[in-house]
């Protein structure tokens, strides 16, 4: 049975907020004792210097800081086989990062930056040892986290993983498969991501990630996305897709613009992609907050995907098939929100919480 078809509650807490990686087991014990059923985390990918889990060097690799003492019983040969789509490219990317003083890939020597066949073969040969070491670290990350997932399952806790829609420009994903993105001959994006002005920002949000070349991805039968979903499914029981509306239409901005004001909506092949994704029968939550069009709602409902609501924004929630959050990173804490309520609103909030058995 799909776990999302049952009414349950949980806590969102990223691994980095715990005292150590091995504290994951203690946190699962706490969740069980307090009657929780879900533990939602942020992306576990290797973060860049600014530390955001939404800007990472890979959409597939794990952050090797999250390696614990307890390991699951799993064979390396199986791991290497199951992850060959991305593993060697990522390991080589890490080795080359060191070689080129951590410069972004598009500032490396041109032959390897643009993956000349001879250059790739040459660097794979000279960095064979480093590549194998990095692959072993990814295996250690996976087996460490698999032990956590196994413990969570044993205690009837399901882990919700988070998957950003876009990937970073300076990532192994863009370097290894540049044809899937709109880049110029120097490797720089020609079109970037963001969202238009709204009630949070008069300038909109200029994220700057290269947008997908969906035509090329489609020609390859969406394999990159399917492999990404498969990888995420090995790291969580449920997947939350961030910025889901970008799978129906996305805000495309010309590279070089200083804000997100000047952009346009471009259709995305969300229905075709989701048809492929749902074949795997993976429970999925979609982030559909903000200004959402009827087309986005129709896409979500076509595949019976639960969306999201936030109590601080929507206090009259009577829908089914959704996940309700007390707040987001864009608003006050629940305590601060509650303290600032007017008397009439305070009574409404109390009623909502009592109905939810909170």
């Amino acid at each position: 049975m799909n776990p999302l078809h049952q009414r349950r509650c949980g806590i969102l807490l990223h691994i980095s907020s715990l005292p150590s990686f091995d504290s994951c087991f203690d946190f699962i014990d706490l969740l069980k004792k307090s009657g929780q059923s879900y533990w939602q985390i942020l992306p576990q990918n290797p973060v860049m210097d600014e530390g955001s889990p939404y800007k990472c060097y890979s959409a597939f690799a794990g952050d090797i800081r999250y390696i614990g003492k307890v390991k699951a019983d799993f064979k390396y040969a199986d791991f290497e086989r199951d992850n060959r789509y991305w593993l060697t490219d990522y390991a080589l990317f890490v080795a080359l990062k060191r070689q080129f003083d951590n410069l972004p890939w598009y500032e490396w020597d041109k032959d390897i930056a643009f993956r000349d066949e001879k250059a790739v073969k040459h660097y794979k040969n000279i960095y064979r040892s480093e590549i194998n070491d990095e692959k072993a670290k990814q295996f250690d990350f996976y087996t460490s986290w698999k032990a956590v997932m196994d413990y969570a399952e044993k205690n009837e806790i399901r882990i919700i993983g988070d998957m950003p829609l876009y990937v970073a420009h300076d990532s192994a994903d863009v370097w290894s498969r540049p044809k899937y993105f709109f880049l110029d001959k120097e490797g720089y994006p020609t079109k970037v991501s963001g969202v238009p002005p709204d009630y949070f920002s008069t300038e909109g949000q200029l994220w700057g990630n290269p947008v997908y070349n969906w035509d090329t991805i489609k020609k390859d039968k969406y394999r990159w996305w399917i492999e990404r979903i498969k990888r995420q499914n090995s790291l969580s029981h449920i997947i939350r897709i961030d910025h889901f509306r970008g799978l129906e239409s996305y805000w495309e901005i010309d590279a070089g613009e200083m804000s997100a004001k000047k952009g346009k909506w471009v259709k995305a092949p969300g229905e075709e992609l989701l048809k492929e994704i749902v074949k795997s029968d993976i429970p999925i939550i979609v982030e559909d907050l903000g200004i959402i069009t009827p087309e986005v709602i129709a896409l979500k409902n076509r595949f019976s995907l639960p969306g999201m609501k936030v109590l601080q924004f929507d206090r009259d929630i009577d829908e089914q098939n959704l996940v309700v959050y007390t707040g987001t990173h864009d608003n006050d804490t629940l305590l601060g929100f509650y303290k600032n309520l007017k008397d009439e609103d305070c009574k409404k909030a109390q009623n909502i919480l009592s109905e939810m058995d909170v």
Side-chain angles (χ1 to χ4, degrees), residues 10-12 40 200 240 287 289 308-314 317 323-335 337 353 356:
I11 292 176
L12 193 164
Q40 182 171 333
F200 286 117
R240 190 196 82 119
E287 185 270 297
L289 302 176
M308 292 173 53
K309 291 290 183 182
V310 179
L311 278 178
Q312 295 190 38
F313 301 150
D314 300 281
I317 299 173
V323 181
V324 179
Y325 291 77
T326 56
T328 76
H329 61 285
D330 288 318
N331 51 265
D332 202 350
T333 63
L334 186 60
L335 179 61
F337 164 76
L353 294 174
M356 296 177 66

Side-chain angles (χ1 to χ4, degrees), residues 61-72:
D63 194 322
I64 58 174
R65 291 177 298 177
Y66 303 142
I67 294 178
K69 297 175 184 177
V70 180
K71 306 287 179 65

Side-chain angles (χ1 to χ4, degrees), residues 64 91-103 108 127 130-131 133-134 137:
I64 58 174
L92 176 58
F93 177 84
V94 173
L96 289 167
K97 271 280 184 183
R98 297 192 191 103
Q99 161 71 19
F100 293 106
D101 298 323
N102 209 40
L103 286 172
W108 298 348
Y127 289 123
E130 289 88 342
I131 289 170
D133 286 347
E134 195 61 39
K137 290 175 185 176

Side-chain angles (χ1 to χ4, degrees), residues 131-199:
I131 289 170
N132 289 335
D133 286 347
E134 195 61 39
K135 289 163 75 172
K137 290 175 185 176
Q138 286 300 310
F139 176 67
D140 286 343
F141 162 81
Y142 175 71
T143 53
S144 294
W145 184 245
K146 185 66 168 58
V148 173
M149 287 187 62
D150 290 345
Y151 190 72
E153 287 185 47
K154 180 181 176 182
N155 287 278
E156 300 182 331
I157 303 294
R158 287 183 168 86
I159 294 172
I160 303 174
D162 205 17
M163 195 177 77
L165 181 68
Y166 294 113
V167 299
H169 180 203
D170 184 24
S171 65
D173 311 289
V174 180
W175 172 68
S176 62
R177 292 176 176 84
K179 67 178 182 177
Y180 290 160
F181 305 88
F182 284 108
L183 307 176
D184 64 19
K185 62 181 182 180
E186 298 297 322
Y188 290 89
T190 57
K191 308 288 184 182
V192 295
S193 64
V195 289
D198 57 17
Y199 43 75

Side-chain angles (χ1 to χ4, degrees), residues 24-147:
C24 289
F25 300 96
D26 296 329
F27 186 64
I28 290 170
D29 290 339
L30 176 64
L31 289 172
K32 184 177 182 179
K33 288 178 183 177
S34 56
Q36 308 297 308
S37 298
Y38 297 121
W39 175 15
Q40 182 171 333
I41 59 175
L42 303 183
Q44 302 159 277
N45 310 105
V47 298
M48 296 181 173
D49 289 342
E50 52 263 61
S52 170
Y54 294 89
K55 191 174 183 182
C56 298
Y57 286 118
S58 170
F60 291 81
D63 194 322
I64 58 174
R65 291 177 298 177
Y66 303 142
I67 294 178
K69 297 175 184 177
V70 180
K71 306 287 179 65
D73 183 16
F74 193 82
K75 296 177 181 177
Y76 178 77
D78 294 338
F79 171 80
E80 191 174 32
R81 180 199 63 224
D82 294 343
N83 294 277
R84 64 164 60 100
Y85 181 78
W86 63 272
L87 186 58
T88 300
D89 279 328
Y90 174 71
L92 176 58
F93 177 84
V94 173
L96 289 167
K97 271 280 184 183
R98 297 192 191 103
Q99 161 71 19
F100 293 106
D101 298 323
N102 209 40
L103 286 172
W105 66 265
Y106 40 89
E107 294 182 16
W108 298 348
D109 292 347
K110 295 299 181 184
D111 58 350
I112 191 59
F114 296 99
R115 297 181 62 85
D116 174 80
E117 189 175 337
K118 290 183 179 179
V120 171
K121 185 176 181 180
H122 168 72
Y123 282 107
K124 278 185 177 179
N125 184 51
I126 64 172
Y127 289 123
R128 183 178 295 129
S129 176
E130 289 88 342
I131 289 170
N132 289 335
D133 286 347
E134 195 61 39
K135 289 163 75 172
K137 290 175 185 176
Q138 286 300 310
F139 176 67
D140 286 343
F141 162 81
Y142 175 71
T143 53
S144 294
W145 184 245
K146 185 66 168 58

